[in-house]
Coordinates of all heavy atoms in Angstrom, one line a residue:
M1 N 0.8 -1.2 0.0 CA 0.0 0.0 0.0 C 0.8 1.2 0.0 O 0.6 2.2 -0.7 CB -0.9 0.0 1.2 CG -1.9 1.1 1.2 SD -3.1 0.9 -0.1 CE -4.2 2.1 0.2
R2 N 2.0 1.2 0.7 CA 2.8 2.4 0.8 C 3.4 2.7 -0.6 O 3.5 3.9 -1.0 CB 4.0 2.2 1.8 CG 4.9 3.4 1.9 CD 5.8 3.3 3.0 NE 5.0 3.4 4.2 CZ 5.4 3.1 5.4 NH1 6.6 2.6 5.6 NH2 4.6 3.2 6.5
L3 N 3.8 1.7 -1.4 CA 4.3 2.0 -2.8 C 3.2 2.6 -3.6 O 3.4 3.5 -4.4 CB 4.8 0.6 -3.4 CG 5.1 0.7 -4.9 CD1 6.4 1.6 -5.0 CD2 5.4 -0.7 -5.4
R4 N 2.0 2.1 -3.5 CA 0.9 2.7 -4.3 C 0.7 4.1 -4.0 O 0.5 4.9 -4.9 CB -0.3 1.8 -4.0 CG -1.5 2.2 -4.9 CD -2.6 1.3 -4.7 NE -2.2 -0.1 -5.3 CZ -2.9 -1.1 -5.2 NH1 -4.1 -1.1 -4.8 NH2 -2.5 -2.3 -5.7
V5 N 0.7 4.5 -2.7 CA 0.4 5.9 -2.3 C 1.6 6.7 -2.9 O 1.3 7.8 -3.5 CB 0.3 6.0 -0.8 CG1 0.3 7.5 -0.4 CG2 -0.9 5.3 -0.4
S6 N 2.9 6.3 -2.8 CA 3.9 7.1 -3.2 C 3.9 7.3 -4.8 O 4.2 8.3 -5.3 CB 5.3 6.6 -2.8 OG 5.5 5.4 -3.3
L7 N 3.5 6.2 -5.5 CA 3.4 6.3 -6.9 C 2.3 7.3 -7.3 O 2.6 8.1 -8.2 CB 3.1 4.9 -7.5 CG 2.9 4.8 -9.0 CD1 4.3 5.2 -9.7 CD2 2.5 3.5 -9.4
V8 N 1.2 7.2 -6.7 CA 0.1 8.1 -7.1 C 0.5 9.5 -6.7 O 0.3 10.5 -7.4 CB -1.2 7.7 -6.3 CG1 -2.2 8.8 -6.5 CG2 -1.7 6.4 -6.9
N9 N 1.1 9.7 -5.6 CA 1.6 11.1 -5.2 C 2.6 11.7 -6.1 O 2.6 12.9 -6.5 CB 2.1 11.1 -3.8 CG 1.1 11.0 -2.7 OD1 -0.1 11.2 -3.0 ND2 1.4 10.5 -1.5
G10 N 3.5 10.8 -6.7 CA 4.5 11.3 -7.6 C 3.9 11.7 -8.9 O 4.4 12.6 -9.6
L11 N 2.8 11.0 -9.3 CA 2.2 11.2 -10.7 C 1.1 12.2 -10.6 O 0.7 12.7 -11.6 CB 1.7 9.9 -11.2 CG 2.8 8.8 -11.5 CD1 2.1 7.5 -11.9 CD2 3.7 9.3 -12.6
A12 N 0.5 12.4 -9.5 CA -0.7 13.3 -9.3 C -0.5 14.6 -10.0 O -1.4 15.1 -10.7 CB -1.1 13.4 -7.9
P13 N 0.6 15.4 -9.8 CA 0.7 16.7 -10.4 C 0.7 16.7 -11.9 O 0.0 17.5 -12.5 CB 2.1 17.2 -9.9 CG 2.4 16.4 -8.7 CD 1.7 15.1 -8.9
V14 N 1.3 15.7 -12.5 CA 1.3 15.6 -13.9 C -0.2 15.2 -14.4 O -0.7 15.9 -15.4 CB 2.2 14.5 -14.4 CG1 2.1 14.3 -15.9 CG2 3.6 14.8 -14.1
I15 N -0.8 14.3 -13.7 CA -2.2 13.9 -14.1 C -3.1 15.1 -13.9 O -4.0 15.4 -14.7 CB -2.6 12.7 -13.3 CG1 -1.7 11.5 -13.8 CG2 -4.1 12.4 -13.6 CD1 -1.8 10.3 -12.9
V16 N -3.0 15.8 -12.8 CA -3.9 16.9 -12.5 C -3.7 18.0 -13.6 O -4.7 18.5 -14.1 CB -3.6 17.5 -11.1 CG1 -4.3 18.8 -10.9 CG2 -4.1 16.5 -10.1
M17 N -2.5 18.3 -14.0 CA -2.3 19.3 -15.0 C -2.9 18.9 -16.4 O -3.5 19.7 -17.0 CB -0.8 19.5 -15.2 CG -0.4 20.6 -16.1 SD 1.4 21.0 -16.1 CE 2.1 19.4 -16.6
A18 N -2.8 17.6 -16.7 CA -3.3 17.1 -18.0 C -4.8 17.2 -18.0 O -5.5 17.6 -18.9 CB -2.9 15.7 -18.3
V19 N -5.4 16.7 -16.9 CA -6.9 16.7 -16.8 C -7.4 18.2 -16.7 O -8.4 18.5 -17.4 CB -7.3 15.9 -15.5 CG1 -8.8 16.1 -15.3 CG2 -7.0 14.5 -15.7
T20 N -6.8 19.0 -16.0 CA -7.2 20.5 -15.9 C -7.2 21.1 -17.3 O -8.1 21.8 -17.7 CB -6.3 21.2 -15.0 OG1 -6.4 20.6 -13.7 CG2 -6.7 22.7 -14.9
F21 N -6.1 20.8 -18.1 CA -6.0 21.4 -19.4 C -7.1 20.8 -20.3 O -7.7 21.5 -21.0 CB -4.6 21.0 -20.0 CG -4.5 21.4 -21.5 CD1 -4.3 22.7 -21.8 CD2 -4.7 20.5 -22.5 CE1 -4.2 23.1 -23.2 CE2 -4.6 20.8 -23.8 CZ -4.4 22.1 -24.1
C22 N -7.3 19.5 -20.2 CA -8.4 18.9 -21.0 C -9.7 19.5 -20.8 O -10.5 19.9 -21.6 CB -8.4 17.4 -20.7 SG -9.7 16.5 -21.6
V23 N -10.1 19.6 -19.5 CA -11.4 20.1 -19.1 C -11.6 21.5 -19.5 O -12.6 21.9 -20.1 CB -11.7 19.9 -17.6 CG1 -13.0 20.5 -17.2 CG2 -11.7 18.4 -17.3
S24 N -10.6 22.3 -19.3 CA -10.7 23.8 -19.6 C -10.6 24.0 -21.1 O -11.3 24.8 -21.6 CB -9.5 24.6 -19.0 OG -8.3 24.2 -19.5
A25 N -9.9 23.2 -21.9 CA -9.8 23.4 -23.3 C -11.1 22.9 -23.9 O -11.6 23.6 -24.9 CB -8.7 22.5 -23.9
C26 N -11.7 21.9 -23.5 CA -12.9 21.4 -24.0 C -14.1 22.3 -23.7 O -15.1 22.4 -24.4 CB -13.2 20.0 -23.6 SG -12.0 18.8 -24.3
S27 N -14.1 22.9 -22.5 CA -15.2 23.8 -22.1 C -15.2 25.1 -22.9 O -16.2 25.8 -22.9 CB -15.1 24.0 -20.6 OG -14.0 24.8 -20.3
R28 N -14.1 25.5 -23.5 CA -14.1 26.7 -24.3 C -14.6 26.6 -25.7 O -14.8 27.5 -26.4 CB -12.6 27.3 -24.4 CG -12.2 27.9 -23.1 CD -10.8 28.4 -23.2 NE -10.0 27.2 -23.1 CZ -8.7 27.2 -23.1 NH1 -8.0 28.3 -23.3 NH2 -8.0 26.1 -23.0
Q29 N -14.8 25.3 -26.2 CA -15.3 25.1 -27.5 C -16.8 25.5 -27.6 O -17.6 25.2 -26.8 CB -15.1 23.7 -27.9 CG -13.7 23.2 -28.0 CD -13.5 21.8 -28.2 OE1 -14.5 21.0 -28.2 NE2 -12.3 21.3 -28.5
T30 N -17.1 26.2 -28.7 CA -18.5 26.6 -28.9 C -18.9 26.4 -30.4 O -18.0 26.4 -31.3 CB -18.7 28.1 -28.6 OG1 -17.8 28.9 -29.4 CG2 -18.4 28.5 -27.1
A31 N -20.2 26.3 -30.6 CA -20.7 26.1 -31.9 C -20.0 25.1 -32.8 O -19.6 25.3 -33.9 CB -20.8 27.5 -32.7
L32 N -19.9 23.9 -32.2 CA -19.3 22.8 -32.9 C -20.3 21.9 -33.7 O -21.5 21.9 -33.3 CB -18.6 21.9 -31.9 CG -17.5 22.5 -31.1 CD1 -17.0 21.5 -30.0 CD2 -16.4 23.0 -31.9
P33 N -19.9 21.2 -34.7 CA -20.8 20.3 -35.4 C -21.2 19.2 -34.4 O -20.6 18.9 -33.5 CB -20.0 19.7 -36.6 CG -18.8 20.7 -36.7 CD -18.6 21.4 -35.4
M34 N -22.4 18.6 -34.8 CA -22.9 17.5 -33.9 C -21.9 16.4 -33.5 O -21.8 16.0 -32.4 CB -24.2 16.9 -34.4 CG -25.4 17.9 -34.5 SD -25.8 18.5 -32.8 CE -26.6 17.1 -32.2
A35 N -21.2 16.0 -34.5 CA -20.2 14.9 -34.3 C -19.2 15.4 -33.3 O -18.7 14.6 -32.4 CB -19.6 14.4 -35.6
T36 N -18.7 16.6 -33.4 CA -17.7 17.1 -32.5 C -18.3 17.4 -31.1 O -17.6 17.3 -30.1 CB -17.1 18.4 -33.1 OG1 -16.7 18.1 -34.4 CG2 -15.9 18.8 -32.3
Q37 N -19.5 17.8 -31.1 CA -20.1 18.1 -29.7 C -20.2 16.9 -28.9 O -20.0 17.0 -27.7 CB -21.6 18.6 -30.0 CG -21.6 20.1 -30.4 CD -23.0 20.6 -30.6 OE1 -24.0 19.9 -30.4 NE2 -23.1 21.8 -31.1
A38 N -20.4 15.7 -29.5 CA -20.4 14.5 -28.7 C -19.0 14.3 -28.0 O -18.9 13.9 -26.8 CB -20.7 13.3 -29.5
S39 N -17.9 14.5 -28.7 CA -16.6 14.3 -28.1 C -16.3 15.5 -27.1 O -15.6 15.3 -26.2 CB -15.5 14.2 -29.2 OG -15.4 15.4 -29.9
A40 N -16.8 16.7 -27.4 CA -16.6 17.8 -26.4 C -17.3 17.5 -25.1 O -16.9 17.9 -24.1 CB -17.1 19.1 -27.0
A41 N -18.4 16.8 -25.1 CA -19.2 16.5 -23.9 C -18.3 15.6 -23.1 O -18.4 15.6 -21.9 CB -20.5 15.9 -24.3
R42 N -17.6 14.7 -23.7 CA -16.7 13.7 -23.0 C -15.3 13.9 -23.5 O -14.9 13.3 -24.5 CB -17.2 12.3 -23.2 CG -18.5 12.1 -22.5 CD -18.9 10.6 -22.5 NE -17.9 9.8 -21.8 CZ -17.6 8.6 -22.1 NH1 -18.2 7.9 -23.0 NH2 -16.7 7.9 -21.4
P43 N -14.5 14.8 -22.9 CA -13.1 15.0 -23.4 C -12.3 13.8 -23.5 O -12.5 12.8 -22.7 CB -12.5 16.0 -22.4 CG -13.7 16.5 -21.6 CD -14.8 15.5 -21.7
I44 N -11.4 13.7 -24.4 CA -10.6 12.5 -24.6 C -9.1 12.8 -24.1 O -8.5 13.8 -24.5 CB -10.5 12.2 -26.1 CG1 -11.9 11.8 -26.7 CG2 -9.6 11.0 -26.4 CD1 -11.9 11.7 -28.2
I45 N -8.6 11.8 -23.3 CA -7.2 11.9 -22.9 C -6.6 10.7 -23.5 O -7.0 9.5 -23.3 CB -7.1 11.9 -21.4 CG1 -7.7 13.2 -20.8 CG2 -5.6 11.8 -21.0 CD1 -7.7 13.2 -19.3
V46 N -5.5 10.9 -24.3 CA -4.8 9.7 -24.9 C -3.6 9.5 -24.0 O -2.8 10.4 -23.7 CB -4.4 10.0 -26.3 CG1 -3.6 8.9 -26.9 CG2 -5.6 10.3 -27.2
F47 N -3.4 8.3 -23.5 CA -2.4 8.0 -22.5 C -1.3 7.0 -23.0 O -1.6 6.0 -23.7 CB -3.2 7.3 -21.4 CG -2.5 7.1 -20.1 CD1 -1.6 8.0 -19.6 CD2 -2.9 6.1 -19.2 CE1 -1.0 7.9 -18.4 CE2 -2.3 5.9 -18.0 CZ -1.3 6.8 -17.6
M48 N -0.1 7.4 -22.8 CA 1.0 6.6 -23.3 C 2.1 6.7 -22.2 O 2.4 7.9 -21.8 CB 1.6 7.1 -24.6 CG 2.8 6.4 -25.1 SD 3.4 6.8 -26.7 CE 3.8 8.6 -26.5
T49 N 2.7 5.6 -21.8 CA 3.7 5.6 -20.8 C 4.9 4.6 -21.1 O 4.7 3.8 -22.0 CB 3.2 5.3 -19.4 OG1 2.9 3.9 -19.4 CG2 2.0 6.1 -19.1
D50 N 5.9 4.7 -20.3 CA 6.9 3.6 -20.3 C 6.8 2.8 -19.1 O 7.8 2.1 -18.7 CB 8.3 4.3 -20.5 CG 8.7 5.2 -19.3 OD1 7.8 5.4 -18.4 OD2 9.8 5.7 -19.3
F51 N 5.6 2.7 -18.5 CA 5.5 2.0 -17.2 C 5.5 0.4 -17.4 O 5.6 -0.3 -16.5 CB 4.1 2.3 -16.6 CG 4.1 3.8 -16.1 CD1 2.8 4.3 -15.8 CD2 5.2 4.5 -15.9 CE1 2.7 5.6 -15.4 CE2 5.1 5.9 -15.5 CZ 3.9 6.4 -15.2
G52 N 5.1 -0.1 -18.6 CA 5.0 -1.5 -18.8 C 3.6 -1.9 -18.3 O 2.8 -1.1 -17.9
T53 N 3.4 -3.2 -18.4 CA 2.0 -3.7 -18.0 C 2.2 -4.8 -16.9 O 1.2 -5.5 -16.5 CB 1.3 -4.3 -19.1 OG1 2.1 -5.3 -19.8 CG2 0.9 -3.2 -20.2
A54 N 3.4 -4.9 -16.3 CA 3.6 -6.0 -15.3 C 3.2 -5.6 -13.9 O 3.2 -6.4 -13.0 CB 5.1 -6.3 -15.3
N55 N 2.7 -4.3 -13.8 CA 2.3 -3.9 -12.4 C 1.0 -3.1 -12.6 O 0.4 -3.0 -13.6 CB 3.4 -3.1 -11.7 CG 3.9 -1.9 -12.5 OD1 3.0 -1.2 -13.1 ND2 5.1 -1.6 -12.4
D56 N 0.6 -2.4 -11.4 CA -0.6 -1.7 -11.5 C -0.5 -0.2 -11.7 O -1.4 0.6 -11.5 CB -1.4 -1.9 -10.1 CG -0.6 -1.5 -8.9 OD1 0.6 -1.1 -9.1 OD2 -1.1 -1.6 -7.8
A57 N 0.7 0.3 -12.1 CA 0.9 1.7 -12.3 C -0.1 2.4 -13.2 O -0.6 3.5 -13.0 CB 2.3 2.0 -12.8
V58 N -0.4 1.8 -14.4 CA -1.3 2.4 -15.4 C -2.7 2.4 -14.8 O -3.4 3.4 -14.9 CB -1.2 1.6 -16.7 CG1 -2.3 2.1 -17.7 CG2 0.1 1.6 -17.3
A59 N -3.1 1.3 -14.1 CA -4.5 1.3 -13.5 C -4.6 2.4 -12.5 O -5.6 3.1 -12.4 CB -4.7 0.0 -12.9
I60 N -3.5 2.7 -11.7 CA -3.6 3.7 -10.7 C -3.7 5.1 -11.3 O -4.5 5.9 -10.9 CB -2.3 3.6 -9.8 CG1 -2.4 2.4 -8.9 CG2 -2.2 4.9 -8.9 CD1 -1.1 2.1 -8.2
C61 N -2.9 5.3 -12.4 CA -3.0 6.6 -13.1 C -4.4 6.8 -13.6 O -5.0 7.9 -13.5 CB -2.0 6.6 -14.2 SG -0.3 6.8 -13.6
R62 N -5.0 5.8 -14.3 CA -6.3 5.9 -14.8 C -7.4 6.2 -13.7 O -8.2 7.0 -13.9 CB -6.7 4.7 -15.6 CG -5.9 4.5 -16.8 CD -6.1 3.1 -17.5 NE -7.4 3.1 -18.1 CZ -7.8 3.4 -19.4 NH1 -6.8 3.7 -20.2 NH2 -9.0 3.3 -19.8
A63 N -7.2 5.5 -12.6 CA -8.1 5.8 -11.5 C -8.0 7.2 -11.0 O -9.1 7.8 -10.6 CB -7.8 4.7 -10.3
V64 N -6.8 7.7 -10.9 CA -6.6 9.1 -10.4 C -7.3 10.0 -11.4 O -8.0 11.0 -11.0 CB -5.1 9.4 -10.2 CG1 -4.9 10.9 -10.0 CG2 -4.6 8.6 -9.1
I65 N -7.1 9.8 -12.7 CA -7.7 10.7 -13.7 C -9.2 10.7 -13.6 O -9.9 11.7 -13.6 CB -7.2 10.3 -15.1 CG1 -5.8 10.5 -15.3 CG2 -8.1 11.0 -16.2 CD1 -5.2 10.0 -16.6
Y66 N -9.8 9.4 -13.5 CA -11.2 9.3 -13.4 C -11.8 10.0 -12.1 O -12.9 10.5 -12.0 CB -11.7 7.9 -13.4 CG -11.8 7.3 -14.9 CD1 -11.1 6.1 -15.2 CD2 -12.4 8.0 -15.9 CE1 -11.1 5.7 -16.5 CE2 -12.4 7.5 -17.2 CZ -11.8 6.4 -17.5 OH -11.8 5.8 -18.7
G67 N -11.0 9.9 -11.0 CA -11.3 10.5 -9.8 C -11.4 12.1 -9.9 O -12.2 12.7 -9.3
I68 N -10.5 12.6 -10.7 CA -10.5 14.1 -10.9 C -11.5 14.5 -11.9 O -12.2 15.5 -11.7 CB -9.1 14.5 -11.3 CG1 -8.1 14.2 -10.2 CG2 -9.1 16.0 -11.8 CD1 -6.6 14.4 -10.7
A69 N -11.6 13.8 -13.0 CA -12.6 14.2 -14.1 C -13.3 12.9 -14.6 O -12.9 12.3 -15.6 CB -11.8 14.8 -15.2
P70 N -14.4 12.5 -13.9 CA -15.1 11.2 -14.2 C -15.7 11.2 -15.6 O -16.0 10.2 -16.2 CB -16.1 11.1 -13.1 CG -16.2 12.4 -12.5 CD -14.9 13.1 -12.8
E71 N -15.9 12.4 -16.2 CA -16.5 12.5 -17.6 C -15.6 12.2 -18.7 O -16.0 12.1 -19.9 CB -17.2 13.9 -17.7 CG -16.3 15.0 -17.9 CD -15.6 15.5 -16.7 OE1 -15.8 15.0 -15.6 OE2 -14.8 16.4 -16.8
V72 N -14.3 12.2 -18.5 CA -13.4 12.0 -19.6 C -13.3 10.6 -20.2 O -13.7 9.6 -19.5 CB -11.9 12.4 -19.3 CG1 -11.8 13.8 -18.8 CG2 -11.3 11.4 -18.2
R73 N -12.9 10.5 -21.4 CA -12.6 9.2 -22.0 C -11.1 9.0 -22.1 O -10.4 9.9 -22.6 CB -13.3 9.1 -23.4 CG -14.7 9.0 -23.4 CD -15.3 8.8 -24.8 NE -15.0 10.0 -25.6 CZ -15.2 10.1 -26.9 NH1 -15.6 9.1 -27.6 NH2 -15.0 11.2 -27.5
I74 N -10.6 7.9 -21.6 CA -9.2 7.7 -21.6 C -8.9 6.5 -22.6 O -9.6 5.5 -22.5 CB -8.6 7.3 -20.3 CG1 -8.9 8.3 -19.2 CG2 -7.1 7.0 -20.4 CD1 -8.6 7.8 -17.8
T75 N -8.0 6.8 -23.6 CA -7.7 5.8 -24.5 C -6.1 5.6 -24.4 O -5.4 6.5 -24.1 CB -8.2 6.1 -25.9 OG1 -7.9 4.9 -26.8 CG2 -7.6 7.3 -26.5
D76 N -5.7 4.4 -24.7 CA -4.2 4.1 -24.6 C -3.6 4.0 -25.9 O -4.2 3.4 -26.9 CB -4.0 2.8 -23.8 CG -4.6 2.9 -22.4 OD1 -4.1 3.7 -21.7 OD2 -5.4 2.0 -22.1
I77 N -2.4 4.6 -26.1 CA -1.6 4.3 -27.2 C -0.7 3.0 -26.9 O -0.9 2.0 -27.6 CB -0.6 5.5 -27.5 CG1 -1.4 6.7 -27.9 CG2 0.3 5.1 -28.7 CD1 -0.6 7.9 -28.1
T78 N 0.1 3.1 -25.9 CA 0.9 2.0 -25.5 C 1.5 2.3 -24.1 O 1.6 3.5 -23.7 CB 2.0 1.6 -26.5 OG1 2.7 0.4 -26.0 CG2 3.0 2.7 -26.6
H79 N 1.8 1.3 -23.4 CA 2.5 1.4 -22.1 C 3.8 0.6 -22.2 O 4.5 0.4 -21.2 CB 1.7 1.0 -20.9 CG 0.4 1.9 -20.9 ND1 0.4 3.2 -20.5 CD2 -0.9 1.6 -21.1 CE1 -0.8 3.7 -20.6 NE2 -1.6 2.7 -21.0
Q80 N 4.2 0.3 -23.4 CA 5.4 -0.5 -23.6 C 6.6 0.3 -24.3 O 7.5 -0.2 -24.9 CB 5.1 -1.7 -24.5 CG 4.1 -2.6 -24.0 CD 4.6 -3.3 -22.7 OE1 5.7 -3.6 -22.5 NE2 3.6 -3.6 -21.8
V81 N 6.5 1.6 -24.2 CA 7.6 2.5 -24.7 C 8.9 2.1 -23.9 O 8.8 2.0 -22.6 CB 7.3 4.0 -24.5 CG1 8.5 4.8 -25.0 CG2 6.0 4.3 -25.3
T82 N 10.0 2.0 -24.5 CA 11.2 1.8 -23.9 C 11.5 3.0 -22.9 O 11.4 4.1 -23.3 CB 12.4 1.7 -24.9 OG1 12.1 0.7 -25.8 CG2 13.7 1.4 -24.2
P83 N 11.8 2.7 -21.6 CA 12.0 3.8 -20.7 C 13.0 4.8 -21.2 O 14.1 4.5 -21.7 CB 12.6 3.0 -19.4 CG 11.9 1.7 -19.5 CD 12.0 1.3 -21.0
Y84 N 12.6 6.0 -21.1 CA 13.4 7.2 -21.5 C 13.7 7.3 -23.0 O 14.5 8.2 -23.4 CB 14.7 7.3 -20.7 CG 14.5 7.2 -19.2 CD1 14.8 6.0 -18.5 CD2 13.9 8.3 -18.5 CE1 14.6 5.9 -17.2 CE2 13.8 8.1 -17.1 CZ 14.0 6.9 -16.5 OH 13.8 6.8 -15.1
A85 N 13.0 6.6 -23.8 CA 13.2 6.6 -25.3 C 12.2 7.6 -25.9 O 11.2 7.3 -26.4 CB 13.0 5.2 -25.9
I86 N 12.7 8.9 -25.8 CA 11.8 10.0 -26.3 C 11.5 9.9 -27.8 O 10.4 10.1 -28.2 CB 12.5 11.3 -25.9 CG1 12.6 11.4 -24.4 CG2 11.7 12.5 -26.5 CD1 13.4 12.6 -23.9
E87 N 12.5 9.5 -28.5 CA 12.3 9.4 -30.0 C 11.2 8.3 -30.3 O 10.4 8.5 -31.2 CB 13.6 9.1 -30.8 CG 14.5 10.3 -30.9 CD 15.7 10.0 -31.7 OE1 15.7 9.1 -32.6 OE2 16.7 10.7 -31.5
E88 N 11.3 7.2 -29.6 CA 10.4 6.1 -29.8 C 8.9 6.6 -29.5 O 8.0 6.4 -30.2 CB 10.8 4.9 -29.0 CG 9.8 3.7 -29.1 CD 10.2 2.6 -28.1 OE1 11.4 2.6 -27.7 OE2 9.3 1.7 -27.9
A89 N 8.9 7.2 -28.3 CA 7.5 7.8 -27.9 C 7.0 8.8 -28.9 O 5.8 8.8 -29.2 CB 7.6 8.4 -26.5
S90 N 7.9 9.6 -29.4 CA 7.4 10.6 -30.3 C 6.9 10.0 -31.7 O 6.0 10.5 -32.3 CB 8.5 11.7 -30.7 OG 9.6 11.1 -31.3
R91 N 7.5 8.9 -32.1 CA 7.1 8.2 -33.3 C 5.7 7.6 -33.1 O 4.8 7.7 -34.0 CB 8.0 7.1 -33.7 CG 9.3 7.6 -34.4 CD 10.1 6.4 -35.1 NE 10.5 5.4 -34.1 CZ 11.6 5.4 -33.3 NH1 12.4 6.4 -33.5 NH2 11.8 4.4 -32.5
F92 N 5.4 7.0 -31.9 CA 4.1 6.6 -31.6 C 3.1 7.6 -31.6 O 2.0 7.6 -32.2 CB 4.0 5.9 -30.2 CG 4.7 4.5 -30.1 CD1 5.6 4.3 -29.1 CD2 4.4 3.5 -31.0 CE1 6.2 3.0 -29.0 CE2 5.0 2.3 -30.9 CZ 5.9 2.0 -29.9
L93 N 3.4 8.7 -31.0 CA 2.5 9.9 -30.9 C 2.3 10.5 -32.2 O 1.1 10.8 -32.6 CB 3.1 10.9 -29.9 CG 2.2 12.1 -29.5 CD1 0.9 11.6 -28.9 CD2 3.0 13.0 -28.6
Y94 N 3.3 10.7 -33.0 CA 3.2 11.2 -34.4 C 2.3 10.3 -35.3 O 1.4 10.8 -36.0 CB 4.5 11.4 -35.0 CG 4.5 11.9 -36.4 CD1 4.3 13.3 -36.6 CD2 4.6 11.1 -37.5 CE1 4.3 13.9 -37.8 CE2 4.6 11.7 -38.8 CZ 4.5 13.1 -39.0 OH 4.4 13.6 -40.2
A95 N 2.3 9.1 -35.1 CA 1.5 8.1 -35.9 C 0.0 8.2 -35.6 O -0.8 8.0 -36.5 CB 2.1 6.7 -35.8
V96 N -0.3 8.4 -34.4 CA -1.7 8.3 -34.0 C -2.4 9.7 -33.9 O -3.7 9.7 -34.0 CB -2.0 7.6 -32.6 CG1 -1.4 6.2 -32.7 CG2 -1.4 8.3 -31.5
T97 N -1.7 10.7 -33.7 CA -2.3 12.0 -33.6 C -3.3 12.4 -34.6 O -4.4 12.9 -34.3 CB -1.2 13.1 -33.5 OG1 -0.3 12.8 -32.4 CG2 -1.8 14.5 -33.3
P98 N -3.1 12.2 -36.0 CA -4.1 12.6 -36.9 C -5.4 12.0 -36.8 O -6.4 12.5 -37.4 CB -3.4 12.2 -38.3 CG -2.0 12.0 -38.0 CD -1.9 11.6 -36.5
Y99 N -5.6 10.8 -36.1 CA -6.8 10.2 -36.1 C -7.7 10.6 -34.9 O -8.9 10.1 -34.7 CB -6.5 8.7 -35.9 CG -5.8 8.2 -37.1 CD1 -4.4 8.0 -37.1 CD2 -6.4 8.0 -38.4 CE1 -3.7 7.5 -38.2 CE2 -5.7 7.6 -39.5 CZ -4.3 7.3 -39.4 OH -3.6 7.0 -40.5
Y100 N -7.3 11.5 -34.1 CA -8.0 12.0 -32.9 C -8.6 13.4 -33.2 O -8.1 14.2 -34.0 CB -7.2 12.1 -31.7 CG -6.9 10.7 -31.1 CD1 -5.8 10.0 -31.5 CD2 -7.9 10.0 -30.3 CE1 -5.5 8.7 -31.0 CE2 -7.6 8.8 -29.8 CZ -6.4 8.1 -30.1 OH -6.2 6.8 -29.7
P101 N -9.8 13.6 -32.7 CA -10.4 15.0 -32.9 C -9.7 16.1 -32.2 O -9.0 15.9 -31.3 CB -11.8 14.8 -32.4 CG -11.8 13.7 -31.3 CD -10.7 12.8 -31.8
A102 N -10.0 17.3 -32.7 CA -9.4 18.5 -32.1 C -9.8 18.6 -30.6 O -11.0 18.2 -30.3 CB -9.9 19.8 -32.8
G103 N -9.0 19.0 -29.8 CA -9.3 19.1 -28.3 C -8.8 17.9 -27.6 O -8.9 17.9 -26.3
T104 N -8.3 16.9 -28.2 CA -7.8 15.7 -27.6 C -6.6 16.1 -26.8 O -5.7 16.8 -27.3 CB -7.5 14.6 -28.6 OG1 -8.7 14.3 -29.2 CG2 -7.0 13.4 -27.8
V105 N -6.4 15.6 -25.6 CA -5.2 15.8 -24.8 C -4.3 14.6 -24.9 O -4.7 13.5 -24.6 CB -5.6 16.0 -23.3 CG1 -4.3 16.1 -22.5 CG2 -6.4 17.3 -23.1
F106 N -3.1 14.9 -25.3 CA -2.1 13.8 -25.4 C -1.1 13.8 -24.4 O -0.7 14.9 -23.9 CB -1.4 13.9 -26.8 CG -2.3 13.6 -28.0 CD1 -2.9 14.7 -28.6 CD2 -2.4 12.3 -28.4 CE1 -3.8 14.4 -29.7 CE2 -3.3 12.1 -29.6 CZ -3.9 13.1 -30.1

C-alpha cells in the first residue's frame, strides 16, 4: 500500500495538469458540429507511458484521472515504450495524432 500511495503522489501533479488542461480546453469550444459536440461532452485523454504492464501503475493513473474528471474518456496508445526513449515515444505519438479529434489531450 505504501508503494501505491507514493506512486500516485508522484504522478498526481502531472495527471492533474493534464486533466485540468483537457477540461478547460474542451469547455471553451463553442458552436461545434454535432459529431464534434459528442466528443466535447466527454473530453478525450490519450495515455502513453513507459510503465509497462507488469504492475498496477497504469491502472492507478487511470483511477486518479477518473477521480479528478469522471466524464473523460481515456484511451491508450501503449505502455510499452522503452524507458526514457523519447524518439520512440514521439514516433508513436506522431503516428496516431491525426486520427483523434481537435481538443484531444495527449
Side-chain angles (χ1 to χ4, degrees):
M1 187 65 172
R2 182 168 290 167
L3 173 64
R4 186 171 294 179
V5 171
S6 65
L7 177 64
V8 171
N9 287 340
L11 296 173
V14 174
I15 294 168
V16 169
M17 187 171 59
V19 172
T20 302
F21 173 78
C22 176
V23 172
S24 66
C26 293
S27 65
R28 286 180 280 181
Q29 296 175 351
T30 58
L32 300 174
M34 289 303 283
T36 309
Q37 285 179 1
S39 65
R42 293 188 61 208
I44 300 170
I45 296 175
V46 178
F47 195 29
M48 177 175 61
T49 71
D50 62 357
F51 295 162
T53 56
N55 58 36
D56 58 356
V58 173
I60 291 170
C61 289
R62 292 173 69 94
V64 170
I65 294 169
Y66 282 128
I68 295 168
E71 71 282 358
V72 300
R73 290 184 292 170
I74 303 171
T75 186
D76 300 301
I77 296 174
T78 183
H79 300 290
Q80 299 295 330
V81 176
T82 303
Y84 308 104
I86 296 170
E87 285 184 27
E88 179 183 344
S90 67
R91 283 192 302 273
F92 286 130
L93 190 59
Y94 181 79
V96 302
T97 301
Y99 301 101
Y100 286 94
T104 299
V105 175
F106 292 91

